[in-house]
Amino acid sequence: MIRSYLPHTEADRQAMLGVIGVHSAQELFADIPPNLRLARSLDLPAAMAEPELARHLQDMAKSNASLEDYACFLGAGSYDHYIPSVVDHVIRRSEFYTAYTQYQPEIAQGYLQALWEYQSMICEITGMEAANASMYDGGTALAEAAMAACGAVGRNEVIVAGTVHPHYRTLLGTYSIDKGYQIKEAAWAEGVTDLPKLEQQVSSATAAVLIQMPNFFGCLEDVKAIADIAHAKGALLVAAVNPISLGVLEAPGLLGADLVAGEGQPLGLSTSFGGPYLGFFAASEKLLRKMPGRIVGQTTDHEGTRGFVLTLQAREQHIRREKAVSNICSNEALCALTAAVYLSSVGKGGFRQIAELCLNKAHYAYSRLTALKGWRTEFFSPFFHEFVLHCDQPVAEINRALLAKKIIGGLDLEHYYPELAGCMLIAVTEKRTRADIDRLAAALEAMV
């Protein structure tokens, strides 16, 4: 039998053992007491030839539900957007495959320029003055923004809206343990942050207010009003944003946000069972030196030729790590390149058109679904491309029935918010057709 990944024959093995002076592989484990050794073979299937293994894996893959075959209305942080074919064509070039940040300008000018272009585009869509070369994911980026805010203001209290993604809030709590930051949660009403209560909560001890825009329920927060509340007490506003929404919504930097973070998955990255994803991070100029991670800058060499290098790296980040605000010294270069290629390929007009399609299709779905008997809206706040529906039946049962019809239903919110039992978070991207939405409406109508 030919095994592609086990090329050595028995004669090869004996020859190698003979070189090191033993007769069998078991002699290599002579120092391990016999009672600690496994005296039988591992409980694994028999080895297969490569063609047989390929068929086996293909059969296993058929048990997965592919977004190519299902209409997906599930979002909550990971979205089924169309990815132009040029994106994969560019990022699959071998010169872009690396697990490392491109810190050597003498050999990585192409990649450094691509990351600089990525940073520039992030600045443009967020309305901020500086961006780093990416972070691990949206949750990491938001937690790093909270730490940067605490370091800049010199306070250790962070107020996070209860409408921020539950996973992000959990991650923020984990970060706060070692740093000693105090995390407080702001109340919400009608799907958005309760501003009168937030105003009472923010004090001279608050370093930053963290919000999400659109928030976890898909609703639009009043960013400017929240910025005014934070700034009145000397605190910063940190906004986690859905980048696609910025095709139609005002940039958070123009509404008073001091730091902007977010999940970059909608920018050309497939859902891929949860990753790898991309965190983006942008700041106002006054906070430039508080930014974590890698930053690519544009410069000229001694001959005046344009070039790109890593810049503004705090010494503490690498050497005096205990003094650093952040210890992240890497980035998601290939994912950042993906976002840059995606934004370049769709262009300004296409970016806006995608956002408009999401907005219009989501509102069409909202009008169709809330008109069904037994279904009603949970919140009346304005929304972008996600909204919350309420039904008197368990959401898990509804989603099982939808799956049988090749429809992936919305998120069961009871898992994260027990008070929202019976509520489903529906996401609609530009990929959903009118026929998809009508099919979802017909399926839900038949269930109640």
Side-chain angles (χ1 to χ4, degrees):
M1 178 186 294
I2 299 174
R3 295 171 179 165
S4 301
Y5 306 106
L6 299 171
H8 297 127
T9 65
E10 185 58 29
D12 293 334
R13 295 191 192 94
Q14 287 302 320
M16 288 189 286
L17 291 169
V19 169
I20 60 176
V22 296
H23 296 92
S24 71
Q26 287 301 316
E27 291 184 43
L28 299 175
F29 306 107
D31 292 335
I32 299 176
N35 63 323
L36 297 180
R37 300 184 205 174
L38 188 65
R40 59 172 175 78
S41 300
L42 294 173
D43 185 17
L44 294 173
M48 300 180 189
E50 186 170 323
E52 186 182 1
L53 178 61
R55 284 195 299 273
H56 178 63
L57 293 175
Q58 287 167 358
D59 289 341
M60 291 176 67
K62 289 176 183 174
S63 62
N64 290 328
S66 167
L67 293 183
E68 299 301 319
D69 303 320
Y70 286 68
C72 179
F73 293 91
L74 182 63
S78 178
Y79 302 99
D80 180 29
H81 289 288
Y82 181 74
I83 301 173
S85 59
V86 67
V87 174
D88 277 353
H89 180 76
V90 172
I91 67 169
R92 288 178 181 177
R93 293 182 63 89
S94 59
E95 56 265 43
F96 291 130
Y97 281 168
T98 173
Y100 290 94
T101 303
Q102 296 67 38
Y103 59 87
Q104 293 175 289
E106 63 272 26
I107 62 171
Q109 279 300 296
Y111 219 137
L112 286 169
Q113 180 174 353
L115 292 175
W116 184 81
E117 301 282 1
Y118 159 81
Q119 293 173 178
S120 302
M121 286 185 272
I122 292 297
C123 286
E124 188 162 349
I125 65 174
T126 59
M128 304 302 284
E129 291 158 316
N132 71 13
S134 73
M135 310 204 76
Y136 301 134
D137 52 37
T140 305
L142 183 64
E144 289 285 341
M147 290 199 299
C150 288
V153 179
R155 304 171 183 172
N156 66 357
E157 177 186 280
V158 173
I159 296 177
V160 57
T163 54
V164 168
H165 198 302
H167 293 178
Y168 292 9
R169 285 185 278 130
T170 300
L171 198 154
L172 184 65
T174 302
Y175 263 64
S176 70
I177 294 173
D178 287 338
K179 294 291 184 180
Y181 297 147
Q182 186 177 7
I183 309 297
K184 294 183 177 179
E185 193 164 304
W188 53 273
E190 195 56 48
V192 294
T193 302
D194 188 321
L195 298 188
K197 289 184 178 178
L198 178 67
E199 193 163 17
Q200 294 175 2
Q201 198 171 11
V202 177
S203 71
S204 57
T206 306
V209 176
L210 275 57
I211 62 169
Q212 188 172 7
M213 179 68 175
N215 66 28
F216 185 64
F217 303 131
C219 300
L220 305 185
E221 299 278 6
D222 189 339
V223 179
K224 188 173 187 312
I226 296 173
D228 290 343
I229 290 172
H231 293 160
K233 297 293 183 180
L236 303 180
L237 175 65
V238 179
V241 298
N242 178 334
I244 293 295
S245 74
L246 299 179
V248 291
L249 298 179
E250 185 65 280
L254 302 181
L255 295 173
D258 301 286
L259 293 162
V260 178
E263 174 54 63
Q265 179 272 328
L267 302 177
L269 294 162
S270 65
T271 51
S272 298
F273 297 97
Y277 285 173
L278 165 71
F280 60 86
F281 188 111
S284 58
E285 187 175 5
K286 65 181 181 183
L287 297 172
L288 179 62
R289 292 185 177 276
K290 298 295 181 182
M291 291 177 60
R294 303 290 195 181
I295 304 169
V296 179
Q298 179 181 235
T299 186
T300 54
D301 65 13
H302 68 284
E303 296 176 341
T305 304
R306 183 193 191 206
F308 302 89
V309 296
L310 292 185
T311 187
L312 294 172
Q313 295 273 289
R315 177 182 175 84
E316 288 79 8
Q317 191 166 323
H318 302 291
I319 301 172
R320 299 171 61 197
R321 294 174 64 84
E322 73 281 2
K323 300 288 186 183
V325 173
S326 170
N327 293 136
I328 286 186
C329 298
S330 187
N331 75 318
E332 295 271 4
L334 190 59
C335 295
L337 174 68
T338 302
V341 176
Y342 174 85
L343 288 168
S344 300
S345 64
V346 301
K348 284 186 178 180
F351 186 59
R352 180 178 180 82
Q353 186 179 18
I354 292 166
E356 289 174 342
L357 285 170
C358 291
L359 178 73
N360 293 334
K361 291 186 176 188
H363 283 73
Y364 172 71
Y366 176 86
S367 64
R368 286 283 282 118
L369 301 182
T370 54
L372 299 176
K373 184 180 179 182
W375 292 86
R376 64 181 185 276
T377 185
E378 184 67 15
F379 306 127
F380 290 94
S381 299
F383 64 91
F384 173 54
H385 77 341
E386 286 181 285
F387 54 91
V388 178
L389 281 181
H390 187 279
C391 178
D392 293 330
Q393 294 186 26
V395 173
E397 290 181 10
I398 293 170
N399 277 338
R400 276 195 294 273
L402 288 175
L403 205 58
K405 298 178 181 296
K406 293 208 166 189
I407 298 173
I408 299 174
L411 181 75
D412 186 350
L413 286 173
E414 184 180 6
H415 179 69
Y416 297 106
Y417 298 86
E419 67 271 34
L420 294 179
C423 288
M424 174 187 287
L425 179 64
I426 297 282
V428 184
T429 69
E430 80 283 5
K431 280 185 69 176
R432 299 287 72 80
T433 65
R434 185 182 184 119
D436 289 336
I437 297 169
D438 290 344
R439 193 157 65 90
L440 172 65
L444 294 179
E445 187 172 31
M447 294 179 195
V448 296

